[in-house]
Amino acid sequence: MKRRIFYAFSVLLFVVSCKESVKKEVLTGPLELHIAMEEILPAYGFSKSELIPLELNDRSLVGAIDKIIVEKDKIYLLDKEITKSVLCFSTAGNFLFNINRLGEGEGEFSKPFDLILFNESLQILDIIQKKVLVFDLEGNFKEEKAIPFEVQIVNFFPINQDLTAYHMDGRSFGSEETDFIRVFDNRDATISIQGVSDIGSTDAYQVPIEFSGHAGNVRFLHAWTDTIFKISEKGIEAEYILNFGSDRLTKEIKKLPLMDMRKYIMENPYVFNAANLVENEEYLSFQWTRSKAGYANSEDQTYVSYFKKSTAALSHFPLSVNWLGSVNLQGPIYGAGDWFFAYMDYEEWNGLSETHRQDLIKQNPNVNTGFLDAGNPIIVKYRLKEE
């Protein structure tokens, strides 16, 4: 089924108060990552992988996985649209608890738009009620904090105890340029840093994972842009440039009115970054989308690229029909240690041949086979094979 790229949005009013002297992007020499279209590999090579099927009961149904966070012996899942919940499972797949406090009172949310783990707490973003709700790692409500802007935001990520980066919703700017990132200083209630300038209407294409927090580093990759930024208390630094070649969506195309831009990509070849920025100890991973003849003539395909930080080697794989050559692996959407975490829908698992399923079970002797046929998604934990 073809994915709809654009949606109708209401216009939002932007009113932002800033410090007189606001830090901007740090001008340094970013490393260029060349996305070689002719070097796309047919399937992943795993040095090791594990299946983690998720227990299903009347409180643990997972409608969709928008985000995964793994912390010690727990897996936290964000399902923001279907069950509107944060669900917690053990790393063996056992259901532990969910957070599904829908409402307008204290400790309640309209919808969990984003989920962050910071300072030994789960932080849930509700952009409708303009607040962040804080829970402990066992799902107990602790406090809630108002978003410090009247304007709409898309998501957020704490840099440290004092500074929080907010992705401001640029859609009200339409085809004009705006700074997507505002870093708010909690100590004096001001904006201390701003940057990542691009076309406001590109926020019409949104993904859950644009921030990566790993080993003390916070990185940001906005869909449709070509740059991975590092954000710190010193400023915003362009760290990597993604070179997609001649078919990339240029700034001139992105400045077109929304319907004109849609018409262009329906009729012309294109390639653009689709974010989902994920990092572990060894790799930095991101996704991108390509159509060879325009969306109306060739349905777009999504790919995953892995950048090995120690050697600067870059490899690319198709997201669909990839894992072991026949499974649609969704992700990765989290990294921890030297592992990546992705998932497959239950329908994907159920659609495999019995022989294929049995082969995978043999490769995972510790898997809880009772959960495999329960109906929930199956988490896939894997390491990339070294070439």
Side-chain angles (χ1 to χ4, degrees), residues 134-193:
V134 181
F135 296 80
D136 67 23
L137 299 185
E138 304 301 323
N140 302 303
F141 175 69
K142 295 172 63 177
E143 62 174 330
E144 61 181 46
K145 300 177 288 187
I147 295 173
F149 303 103
E150 287 299 321
V151 300
Q152 192 74 297
I153 70 170
V154 174
N155 48 32
F156 75 110
F157 204 95
I159 298 173
N160 52 39
Q161 192 67 37
D162 300 319
L163 302 175
T164 302
Y166 291 89
H167 174 179
M168 315 304 292
D169 193 332
R171 289 174 292 180
S172 65
F173 282 82
S175 59
E176 297 180 17
E177 290 192 48
T178 185
D179 285 337
F180 283 113
I181 296 296
R182 308 282 196 276
V183 177
F184 188 78
D185 192 324
N186 304 306
R187 294 165 295 188
D188 57 10
T190 58
I191 296 171
S192 61
I193 305 167

Side-chain angles (χ1 to χ4, degrees), residues 210-229:
E210 296 184 317
F211 285 103
S212 167
H214 182 79
N217 292 317
V218 176
R219 293 184 170 93
F220 178 77
L221 176 62
H222 178 50
W224 286 34
T225 67
D226 296 329
T227 308
I228 297 175
F229 294 92

